[in-house]
Amino acid sequence: MVKLRNQYELKLMRDSGKIAAAALKRAIEGVKVGVREIDVDKVAEKTIYKLGGDLSYKTVPNYPFATCITVNDRVVHGLPTERQFVKEDIVSIDLAVKFKGWHTDCAWSVLLGKDPKKQVFLKVGEKALWDGIEKAVDGNTVGDISNAIQSRVERAGLSVVRSLVGHGIGKNLHEDPEIPGYGPKGAGIRLKSGMTLAIEVIYTNGKGDVVLDEDGWTFKTADGSLGGLFEMTVIVGKKEAEVLTDWRKV
Ligand code: MF3
Ligand code: CO
């Protein structure tokens, strides 16, 4: 069942989203050559607590961090390690907040350098995210979001990771519906204003297959290609989706 949120619940989700956006912004600012993944995780954790939030990922059994951090061929669910960032790394930070019982989830990928091919790679993922978000309006379906993401990614010669998907979000980090980054327009359930969704673009510059790392959490590309990750929590709107976790607006 996909829930519609009332105004009171939406207010709490907005507050949760503001904390997540601030934490993502601080984390992104902390990504520098020589800094360790675990240091960035701590920056995010501190920001979330300082703003009165709690770690949504604590609700994932056995997951001990505030964030997932995935570099280069790592795609999602990366355990923050002691590894230091180096020049030309692509660094993806994924974090979620729980505030007064309400979850919001967001992720962003940044480049520690100027490689033009990597810059284009990231720009496509970001555009695919906004394309998907644009479709999160009354009367559209989940497939309209999926198809918008897939079109943008594949037109650029990149691949969507099909085994990992976006999701509904609210009282729990992961709720119905699943929101794949691929599929036909018009497929899936019809969207209604007041639904809250975590729309995710999970993609690579190779084939879209991923394998689980020995650490039991991190998904890496099977072919060693680069992974990118862009995610925002939104409220489905009548004419326009409302983005709750836009770190650029903090
Ligand atoms: N943001 C991630 C997602 O929606 C959640 C990561 S769960 C963790 O898939 F346990 F890996 F942190
Ligand atoms: Co998510």
Side-chain angles (χ1 to χ4, degrees):
M1 249 311 277
V2 181
K3 296 249 169 49
L4 300 180
R5 315 295 178 190
N6 64 36
Q7 282 308 320
Y8 175 71
E9 295 167 336
L10 290 178
K11 157 88 173 67
L12 293 176
M13 292 232 13
R14 287 187 185 101
D15 292 343
S16 175
K18 280 183 192 143
I19 298 171
L24 185 56
K25 183 175 183 200
R26 292 278 164 276
I28 288 169
E29 287 167 353
V31 175
K32 295 194 179 99
V33 170
V35 169
R36 298 175 308 166
E37 294 172 10
I38 190 75
D39 301 326
V40 169
D41 179 75
K42 286 290 168 253
V43 166
E45 180 181 300
K46 269 198 193 134
T47 309
I48 292 168
Y49 284 140
K50 200 177 83 193
L51 296 176
D54 203 351
L55 308 183
S56 166
Y57 290 174
K58 264 196 206 159
T59 63
V60 177
N62 302 318
Y63 195 82
F65 297 104
T67 67
C68 300
I69 299 186
T70 43
V71 177
N72 297 332
D73 66 330
R74 303 179 157 234
V75 186
V76 295
H77 300 175
L79 298 173
T81 73
E82 310 255 317
R83 179 184 179 276
Q84 297 181 350
F85 300 119
V86 299
K87 217 164 173 316
E88 300 301 339
D89 271 351
I90 286 181
V91 181
S92 304
I93 299 165
D94 189 353
L95 64 85
V97 165
K98 187 176 177 192
F99 178 72
K100 296 191 177 164
W102 293 89
H103 297 255
T104 50
D105 189 6
C106 51
W108 208 261
S109 297
V110 295
L111 171 62
L112 267 178
K114 293 221 156 49
D115 182 309
K117 281 209 183 102
K118 291 182 183 174
Q119 282 175 338
V120 171
F121 172 67
L122 294 185
K123 210 60 204 167
V124 171
E126 184 187 340
K127 282 189 176 152
L129 176 66
W130 299 121
D131 288 350
I133 289 172
E134 207 172 279
K135 301 292 180 195
V137 291
D138 240 4
N140 276 351
T141 71
V142 165
D144 295 327
I145 298 175
S146 306
N147 190 264
I149 293 171
Q150 180 180 18
S151 305
R152 175 73 72 173
V153 169
E154 292 185 354
R155 258 187 282 136
L158 307 171
S159 302
V160 168
V161 174
R162 293 181 177 234
S163 56
L164 300 160
V165 295
H167 48 93
I169 185 166
K171 271 279 180 206
N172 299 290
L173 174 59
H174 294 129
E175 297 187 357
D176 288 341
E178 286 196 344
I179 309 173
Y182 61 93
K185 285 182 192 166
I189 63 148
R190 199 157 287 284
L191 301 173
K192 290 202 185 76
S193 49
M195 289 179 178
T196 43
L197 309 176
I199 297 177
E200 307 198 34
V201 178
I202 309 164
Y203 69 112
T204 79
N205 70 348
K207 296 200 176 124
D209 303 312
V210 291
V211 290
L212 188 61
D213 187 75
E214 285 157 14
D215 67 16
W217 286 98
T218 314
F219 283 97
K220 305 197 274 192
T221 57
D223 58 8
S225 60
L226 297 169
L229 178 64
F230 291 90
E231 174 178 25
M232 289 279 129
T233 296
V234 309
I235 305 172
V236 174
K238 286 218 182 313
K239 293 230 158 61
E240 198 174 36
E242 181 181 338
V243 181
L244 303 186
T245 52
D246 193 346
W247 64 273
R248 304 164 318 165
K249 298 203 169 140
V250 174

